[in-house]
Amino acid sequence: MPADAVVKIVIVDESPIRAAILQEGLREAGFTAVEHISEMHNLLARIYAIDPDVVVIDLENPSRDVLEQMFQVSRAVRRPIAMFVDQSDAASIQASVDAGVSAYVVDGLKKERIKPVIDLCISRFNAFARLQDELERTKSALEERKVIDRAKGILMKVKSLTEDEAYVLMRSTAMREKKKIADIAQSIITAAEMLK
Amino acid sequence: MTDQPLRIGFIPLIDAAALIVAADKGFAAEEGLNLVLHREVSWSNVRDKLNIGLFDAAHLLAPVAIASSLGLGHIKVPIVAPFTLGVNGNAISVSPALHDALMAQLAGDPADPMATAKALAAVVAARRREGREPLTFGMTFPFSTHNYQLRFWMAAGGVDPDEDVRLVVLPPPYMVDSLANGHVDAFCVGAPWNSVAVDLGIGRILHFVSEILVRAAEKVLAVREAWADEHPDTLAALVRACHRAAMFIEDNRGEAADILARPDRVGVAAEVILRTLDGRLKIARDGAVRSSERYLLVGREGAARPDPVQAAWLYAQMVRWGQAKLSADALATAKAVFRPDLYDRALGTIAKPSHTVADGIGAFTGPLFDPADIEGHLAAFAIRHRAG
């Protein structure tokens, strides 16, 4: 492959958000020919049609086995495709599997040209995982907030407390019992429902 | 022994039974092991996580263990298999339309693979004359028994699997959908997927693979060779736990089916699992049933003891279909993946389990398998990969 040739990259991912994060990163890094396949249907035919140099796929995608067939049916592809990392590159494989990304690269494509693609994908997969994590945390924080507010309302009504007093009571109970304030709040709600 | 959790990957299939029962019925715990089973979605994932050490052991396609040790299709990581989790267990299912077409051409017994393979050749020729698309067959992985079993069967009838039909890889859970919407005309897959297709009325079981090969090693308990060397006692304990589980399954199929049916294990109805363990499968929606004592062997007939002849046969298929080059070294490497010595050491001196299959394989056609002369053996088959 000539040095100035454009590297064609296909992203196979059912998550549109992660695919967008990857696509954006690859474009910023100067890879212009990036396509995204979200539909697993007829995957091989679509990949053959695009004829990419690199296929990036989520490790937990069941269609990975389908891609492995590309090693085998070279009759159908013009060039054999092999996993990027060669045998000596165990660290890269580890990093890529840890991040949840798997990449398949046309055999013969220079490793120096592929390395930045793979590194970028790994860091973007990690970024996506952090994003997911934050989202989960935000979600559960919101849930906790709701529970605490409800419990506060119950205390205010039952014990004729102000909002601040209700909160302080829950907080000091949580500290004394070494529990999370949300757990105390949940017990108040449960108890109130049982005593209805 | 160890308190360290043993991380083990599996694919939700009935032949993961010994591992699942070893973990869930407490046999592993009694050996001092803490098995943590990870349910996986693809063989590539199981292989990669085993190879880089995220898993200590795995439920693995027997040919994948060999391919990994030979460095075929992926990085080379030597794998050893001290225990065979399943012998046989696959079936070939076809769409009702293909079934009708095959039966219209059939001369002989529909349970005779030679008769159906010849009928397939006639159907393939007729489609070609009519200018129709070639038939498409689904299988689970390039290095899979399913791939080799389909190829062995159709080639016997004169169908070249690389020229006359399309063979495509499909994740097992997608098989049934693909048959329903016409993306494949047939597939070869393990339980429960053939039964699922039959129950939905969209497929018919044409053959149990035990009708094509009497004994075919299907899944193995796989570990990295380096890990096996470092943890001989843990490995022996794991083999014992799997062995006890396999025996339990054979004697308590109903309870085993209930354990496997749990949503985080195989996750299909216990009744369907029991049919598989009993080797008594509905082959059509109208209720027709076919039975075989050999449909799936979990521990019976010495199935659990790895047999290097099986490894040699799988390697011979890789050679036949152009996946591997024939060499004495590669053959030796392939055979060394299957480790009856580790099995025997774990279980102490036991009588060698016997079976009545002359060459250990029992193919329905062709000469007896001779691991000492693979080239000569393969020469007896007219259809093989040209470039091989």
Short mmCIF file of all heavy atoms in Angstrom, two decimals, chain B residues 94-105 123 127 132 135 179 182 184-186 201-204:
data_model
loop_
_atom_site.label_atom_id
_atom_site.label_comp_id
_atom_site.label_asym_id
_atom_site.label_seq_id
_atom_site.Cartn_x
_atom_site.Cartn_y
_atom_site.Cartn_z
N VAL B 94 -32.70 -27.93 8.36
CA VAL B 94 -32.94 -27.29 7.06
C VAL B 94 -34.30 -26.61 7.09
O VAL B 94 -35.19 -26.98 7.87
CB VAL B 94 -32.88 -28.31 5.90
CG1 VAL B 94 -31.50 -28.96 5.82
CG2 VAL B 94 -33.95 -29.38 6.05
N SER B 95 -34.49 -25.63 6.21
CA SER B 95 -35.78 -24.96 6.10
C SER B 95 -36.79 -25.96 5.54
O SER B 95 -36.41 -26.91 4.85
CB SER B 95 -35.67 -23.76 5.17
OG SER B 95 -35.43 -24.21 3.84
N PRO B 96 -38.08 -25.73 5.82
CA PRO B 96 -39.09 -26.64 5.26
C PRO B 96 -38.98 -26.72 3.72
O PRO B 96 -39.15 -27.80 3.15
CB PRO B 96 -40.41 -26.01 5.69
CG PRO B 96 -40.07 -25.25 6.95
CD PRO B 96 -38.66 -24.75 6.74
N ALA B 97 -38.67 -25.60 3.06
CA ALA B 97 -38.59 -25.61 1.60
C ALA B 97 -37.44 -26.49 1.14
O ALA B 97 -37.60 -27.30 0.20
CB ALA B 97 -38.41 -24.18 1.08
N LEU B 98 -36.28 -26.36 1.79
CA LEU B 98 -35.15 -27.20 1.39
C LEU B 98 -35.44 -28.66 1.73
O LEU B 98 -35.07 -29.57 0.98
CB LEU B 98 -33.85 -26.73 2.07
CG LEU B 98 -32.59 -27.56 1.74
CD1 LEU B 98 -32.35 -27.66 0.23
CD2 LEU B 98 -31.35 -26.98 2.42
N HIS B 99 -36.12 -28.88 2.84
CA HIS B 99 -36.47 -30.25 3.21
C HIS B 99 -37.35 -30.89 2.13
O HIS B 99 -37.09 -32.02 1.69
CB HIS B 99 -37.19 -30.27 4.56
CG HIS B 99 -37.37 -31.66 5.12
ND1 HIS B 99 -38.53 -32.37 4.98
CD2 HIS B 99 -36.50 -32.47 5.77
CE1 HIS B 99 -38.37 -33.56 5.54
NE2 HIS B 99 -37.15 -33.65 6.03
N ASP B 100 -38.34 -30.16 1.67
CA ASP B 100 -39.21 -30.68 0.60
C ASP B 100 -38.39 -31.00 -0.64
O ASP B 100 -38.58 -32.04 -1.27
CB ASP B 100 -40.31 -29.66 0.25
CG ASP B 100 -41.33 -29.54 1.38
OD1 ASP B 100 -41.33 -30.40 2.29
OD2 ASP B 100 -42.13 -28.57 1.35
N ALA B 101 -37.50 -30.07 -1.00
CA ALA B 101 -36.69 -30.27 -2.20
C ALA B 101 -35.80 -31.50 -2.06
O ALA B 101 -35.65 -32.29 -3.01
CB ALA B 101 -35.84 -29.02 -2.47
N LEU B 102 -35.23 -31.69 -0.87
CA LEU B 102 -34.36 -32.85 -0.65
C LEU B 102 -35.15 -34.15 -0.71
O LEU B 102 -34.73 -35.13 -1.33
CB LEU B 102 -33.66 -32.74 0.72
CG LEU B 102 -32.58 -31.67 0.86
CD1 LEU B 102 -32.13 -31.55 2.32
CD2 LEU B 102 -31.38 -31.97 -0.03
N MET B 103 -36.33 -34.14 -0.08
CA MET B 103 -37.14 -35.36 -0.05
C MET B 103 -37.62 -35.73 -1.45
O MET B 103 -37.75 -36.91 -1.78
CB MET B 103 -38.33 -35.20 0.91
CG MET B 103 -37.91 -35.10 2.39
SD MET B 103 -36.87 -36.49 2.96
CE MET B 103 -35.37 -35.66 3.47
N ALA B 104 -37.83 -34.71 -2.30
CA ALA B 104 -38.27 -34.99 -3.67
C ALA B 104 -37.17 -35.69 -4.47
O ALA B 104 -37.44 -36.42 -5.42
CB ALA B 104 -38.67 -33.68 -4.36
N GLN B 105 -35.92 -35.46 -4.07
CA GLN B 105 -34.79 -36.06 -4.80
C GLN B 105 -34.26 -37.32 -4.11
O GLN B 105 -33.36 -37.97 -4.64
CB GLN B 105 -33.62 -35.05 -4.86
CG GLN B 105 -33.94 -33.75 -5.57
CD GLN B 105 -33.94 -33.92 -7.08
OE1 GLN B 105 -33.62 -35.00 -7.59
NE2 GLN B 105 -34.31 -32.87 -7.79
N VAL B 123 -30.26 -31.26 -5.75
CA VAL B 123 -30.92 -29.96 -5.54
C VAL B 123 -30.00 -28.82 -5.98
O VAL B 123 -30.43 -27.87 -6.65
CB VAL B 123 -31.33 -29.78 -4.06
CG1 VAL B 123 -31.81 -28.36 -3.78
CG2 VAL B 123 -32.40 -30.80 -3.67
N ARG B 127 -30.80 -26.14 -8.97
CA ARG B 127 -30.81 -24.68 -8.75
C ARG B 127 -29.88 -23.98 -9.72
O ARG B 127 -30.17 -22.89 -10.21
CB ARG B 127 -30.39 -24.35 -7.30
CG ARG B 127 -31.44 -24.71 -6.27
CD ARG B 127 -30.93 -24.44 -4.88
NE ARG B 127 -30.88 -23.00 -4.58
CZ ARG B 127 -31.79 -22.38 -3.83
NH1 ARG B 127 -32.79 -23.05 -3.30
NH2 ARG B 127 -31.68 -21.08 -3.59
N ARG B 132 -30.64 -20.06 -10.14
CA ARG B 132 -30.94 -19.51 -8.81
C ARG B 132 -29.67 -19.39 -7.97
O ARG B 132 -28.64 -19.99 -8.26
CB ARG B 132 -31.96 -20.41 -8.11
CG ARG B 132 -33.31 -20.41 -8.82
CD ARG B 132 -34.22 -21.49 -8.29
NE ARG B 132 -34.60 -21.21 -6.90
CZ ARG B 132 -35.19 -22.11 -6.11
NH1 ARG B 132 -35.42 -23.33 -6.56
NH2 ARG B 132 -35.53 -21.79 -4.88
N LEU B 135 -27.36 -22.35 -2.45
CA LEU B 135 -27.87 -22.53 -1.09
C LEU B 135 -26.85 -21.98 -0.09
O LEU B 135 -25.64 -22.04 -0.32
CB LEU B 135 -28.08 -24.02 -0.80
CG LEU B 135 -29.22 -24.71 -1.55
CD1 LEU B 135 -29.11 -26.23 -1.39
CD2 LEU B 135 -30.58 -24.22 -1.07
N LEU B 179 -32.68 -18.45 9.62
CA LEU B 179 -33.41 -19.49 8.89
C LEU B 179 -34.83 -19.00 8.62
O LEU B 179 -35.36 -19.17 7.52
CB LEU B 179 -33.43 -20.80 9.70
CG LEU B 179 -33.94 -22.04 8.98
CD1 LEU B 179 -33.01 -22.43 7.83
CD2 LEU B 179 -34.08 -23.22 9.94
N GLY B 182 -34.92 -16.44 5.83
CA GLY B 182 -34.39 -16.87 4.53
C GLY B 182 -32.96 -16.48 4.25
O GLY B 182 -32.49 -16.64 3.12
N VAL B 184 -30.39 -17.97 5.54
CA VAL B 184 -29.74 -19.26 5.32
C VAL B 184 -30.83 -20.29 5.01
O VAL B 184 -32.00 -20.11 5.38
CB VAL B 184 -28.90 -19.74 6.54
CG1 VAL B 184 -27.76 -18.79 6.84
CG2 VAL B 184 -29.76 -19.93 7.77
N ASP B 185 -30.43 -21.33 4.30
CA ASP B 185 -31.36 -22.41 3.97
C ASP B 185 -31.22 -23.57 4.94
O ASP B 185 -32.07 -24.46 4.98
CB ASP B 185 -31.08 -22.92 2.55
CG ASP B 185 -31.20 -21.79 1.52
OD1 ASP B 185 -32.34 -21.39 1.23
OD2 ASP B 185 -30.16 -21.30 1.04
N ALA B 186 -30.13 -23.59 5.68
CA ALA B 186 -29.84 -24.69 6.59
C ALA B 186 -28.75 -24.24 7.54
O ALA B 186 -28.08 -23.23 7.30
CB ALA B 186 -29.36 -25.91 5.81
N GLY B 201 -41.44 -24.25 14.12
CA GLY B 201 -41.98 -24.69 12.84
C GLY B 201 -41.25 -24.12 11.64
O GLY B 201 -41.76 -24.18 10.51
N ILE B 202 -40.05 -23.57 11.84
CA ILE B 202 -39.34 -22.96 10.71
C ILE B 202 -38.18 -23.82 10.24
O ILE B 202 -37.53 -23.50 9.26
CB ILE B 202 -38.81 -21.56 11.07
CG1 ILE B 202 -37.92 -21.67 12.30
CG2 ILE B 202 -39.95 -20.60 11.33
CD1 ILE B 202 -36.99 -20.51 12.43
N GLY B 203 -37.92 -24.92 10.94
CA GLY B 203 -36.83 -25.79 10.52
C GLY B 203 -37.13 -27.23 10.84
O GLY B 203 -37.99 -27.53 11.68
N ARG B 204 -36.43 -28.12 10.14
CA ARG B 204 -36.54 -29.55 10.43
C ARG B 204 -35.14 -30.09 10.63
O ARG B 204 -34.22 -29.70 9.91
CB ARG B 204 -37.19 -30.29 9.26
CG ARG B 204 -38.65 -29.92 9.04
CD ARG B 204 -39.23 -30.81 7.95
NE ARG B 204 -39.07 -32.22 8.27
CZ ARG B 204 -40.09 -33.08 8.39
NH1 ARG B 204 -41.31 -32.67 8.24
NH2 ARG B 204 -39.86 -34.36 8.66
#
